[in-house]
Amino acid sequence: MKADAVRGHLDGLLLAVLEPGPLHGYAIIAAVQRRSGGALELRTGTIYPALNRLERVGLLSSSWQSSGERRRRCYELTDAGRATLAGERAAWAEFTAAIGSVLNPGAAPGLAT
């Protein structure tokens, strides 16, 4: 899938994979890839700036956790992040319904004209 397909939806993707609980960067990348059936492959150069931005605006919090001799920064949703995720989901449902009604006019009765 083209990288452009993710543009505009990255925040929602990151918030969604963090909903079940805290994850470090590589685990976030792996979760997006797994949940998308391998269609989405995010790069570290894409997610870390986004994670930092989401933390700065209060949608995520982070802490350092140790795994053996390794320290990793783990991110988790804040209450504001959960509320934003709900909004992202509602906006996505509205967007996909609108696009679907144009691309597949017979599939959504009452929406096509």
Side-chain angles (χ1 to χ4, degrees), residues 30-95:
V32 169
Q33 189 172 17
R34 183 180 64 254
R35 287 171 68 167
S36 70
L40 301 175
E41 293 183 31
L42 301 179
R43 291 180 278 170
T44 57
T46 300
I47 70 150
Y48 285 110
L51 292 169
N52 290 331
R53 181 178 42 75
L54 292 171
E55 185 173 19
R56 267 194 320 277
V57 298
L59 303 182
L60 299 179
S61 62
S62 69
S63 61
W64 287 100
Q65 295 184 0
S66 295
S67 175
E69 293 182 22
R70 222 175 178 184
R71 286 185 50 172
R72 300 188 274 202
R73 192 162 204 68
C74 290
Y75 299 87
E76 65 183 312
L77 290 181
T78 62
D79 289 341
R82 290 185 191 288
T84 298
L85 176 57
E88 290 279 338
R89 284 183 170 140
W92 177 253
E94 185 178 320
F95 176 76

